[in-house]
Amino acid sequence: MDVKKKIRKKASIIKNKCVACGTCLDVCPKNAIKIVEGVFAEVDEDKCIGCSICSKECPPSIIEMVAKEEVF
Amino acid sequence: MSIKRKKKWNNYLYIISIAYLILGLFNILFAWLGLLCFMIPLIISFSGGGKSYCNNYCGRGQLLYLLGKKFKLSRNKPMPNFMKTKYFRYGFLIFFMTMFGNMLFSTYLVFSGVNGLKEVVTLLWTFKLPWNWSNTSFVSPWVAQFAFGFYSVMLTSTILGLGTMVLYKPRSWCVYCPMGTMTHGISTIKYNRKMKNISK
């Protein structure tokens, strides 16, 4: 059977460098980011569309866009 | 890409931030209101709310974002690496709190009658601006002295915030904001404790 695979970019946060300022929360168009107990931000990969807005806005620039494989 | 979202009341808190600075120009005693910006984040953080003050209610963060993004005043360049380190952030917090303690001490000196009221606002902990148009005669001198000190702190941090907003990304101030560092520290300690208890 033919399995379709698609490479998609998803936001990935370096947790130990995150200052939990909440800039990414405000800019995410899909509300895919939440702050875990005021310590670090976490991306819901199911909701993330890989637009990379958060990555551009993150003040300490610690959000990376990582290529992820999705199987359909 | 612009994001259209339904605006909530807490999206307009930048107005309070601007109003605070303007009110201070009219009468320095309004500086006392700034204590709210100090107390509320700490109370929220201690009561387990994490950094929801920074995330939802910080007027200064919103103001910096508005100026940097909507008014395009920011260069939008990444910050230098040293400014993101824990050493810099906690170092700045310690420096800031030392200066805050210094300000409290000078308030105490006025309170105990050793020094008289100095009607100056100190910018960036060095430049003294004469500020003698405020009528503070109806309160005791130490109340006015604290107001001068506190307004200096708020103005200085606004200037630093605006500076890094222009040079780097709009909300760069949030990375080394002493209140942010403090609430982040508190939240981290709470989180680590919780994780330890879970793993036990």
Side-chain angles (χ1 to χ4, degrees):
Chain A
M1 209 177 88
D2 191 29
V3 180
K4 273 189 186 173
K5 277 186 182 174
K6 200 174 180 184
I7 305 279
R8 270 208 178 153
K9 283 192 169 176
K10 302 273 179 189
S12 162
I13 295 167
I14 307 169
K15 284 180 184 169
N16 59 351
K17 286 187 180 172
C18 180
V19 293
C21 64
T23 312
C24 48
L25 293 190
D26 294 339
V27 297
C28 179
K30 288 283 171 188
N31 281 331
I33 305 179
K34 64 172 188 207
I35 303 273
V36 181
E37 311 211 0
V39 184
F40 54 82
E42 206 171 53
V43 181
D44 183 344
E45 288 195 354
D46 295 332
K47 285 186 185 171
C48 179
I49 52 167
C51 66
S52 81
I53 296 178
C54 56
S55 162
K56 281 172 199 150
E57 296 296 329
C58 176
S61 317
I62 49 124
I63 306 184
E64 290 168 340
M65 300 310 291
V66 180
K68 297 257 162 121
E69 241 175 34
E70 277 185 7
V71 183
F72 292 94
Chain B
M1 203 191 293
S2 68
I3 310 150
K4 288 267 184 299
R5 266 205 200 150
K6 210 178 164 195
K7 295 257 182 181
K8 283 186 281 181
W9 66 272
N10 59 355
N11 293 118
Y12 297 99
L13 289 172
Y14 62 89
I15 298 169
I16 292 184
S17 219
I18 300 169
Y20 174 79
L21 293 172
I22 294 173
L23 282 174
L25 292 177
F26 287 109
N27 198 318
I28 198 79
L29 293 174
F30 282 110
W32 274 84
L33 290 174
L35 269 181
L36 288 175
C37 303
F38 264 60
M39 300 317 291
I40 296 171
L42 288 177
I43 292 169
I44 291 179
S45 191
F46 273 120
S47 56
K51 282 189 81 174
S52 54
Y53 181 83
C54 297
N55 304 158
N56 304 315
Y57 311 114
C58 180
R60 177 167 303 179
Q62 288 175 10
L63 178 67
L64 292 174
Y65 191 73
L66 186 83
L67 292 175
K69 204 69 197 170
K70 299 270 157 51
F71 291 91
K72 297 192 174 14
L73 292 174
S74 173
R75 282 198 319 151
N76 272 311
K77 293 276 186 285
M79 298 172 80
N81 279 332
F82 80 91
M83 285 177 92
K84 302 175 200 167
T85 55
K86 268 190 185 147
Y87 295 109
F88 179 79
R89 292 196 293 122
Y90 282 93
F92 186 71
L93 171 66
I94 291 165
F95 172 71
F96 199 85
M97 291 323 279
T98 313
M99 287 312 191
F100 192 74
N102 198 7
M103 185 271 276
L104 289 180
F105 184 65
S106 59
T107 306
Y108 169 74
L109 287 182
V110 173
F111 175 73
S112 59
V114 177
N115 281 350
L117 171 65
K118 286 191 193 95
E119 290 189 314
V120 283
V121 163
T122 319
L123 283 186
L124 298 167
W125 307 284
T126 6
F127 308 107
K128 293 195 186 327
L129 294 182
W131 202 278
N132 45 17
W133 59 79
S134 284
N135 177 20
T136 55
S137 55
F138 53 91
V139 288
S140 40
W142 72 270
V143 175
Q145 184 62 55
F146 181 81
F148 277 109
F150 207 84
Y151 197 68
S152 308
V153 168
M154 295 301 269
L155 213 56
T156 301
S157 52
T158 309
I159 290 170
L160 285 176
L162 288 174
T164 41
M165 180 271 289
V166 172
L167 287 174
Y168 311 116
K169 291 187 181 179
R171 281 182 72 162
S172 297
W173 164 253
C174 299
V175 176
Y176 65 96
C177 166
M179 288 318 295
T181 312
M182 245 193 279
T183 48
H184 191 238
I186 295 164
S187 310
T188 312
I189 292 168
K190 276 185 175 261
Y191 181 76
N192 287 346
R193 256 194 215 157
K194 202 175 157 188
M195 286 295 120
K196 237 184 214 170
N197 283 344
I198 289 172
S199 63
K200 260 180 193 172

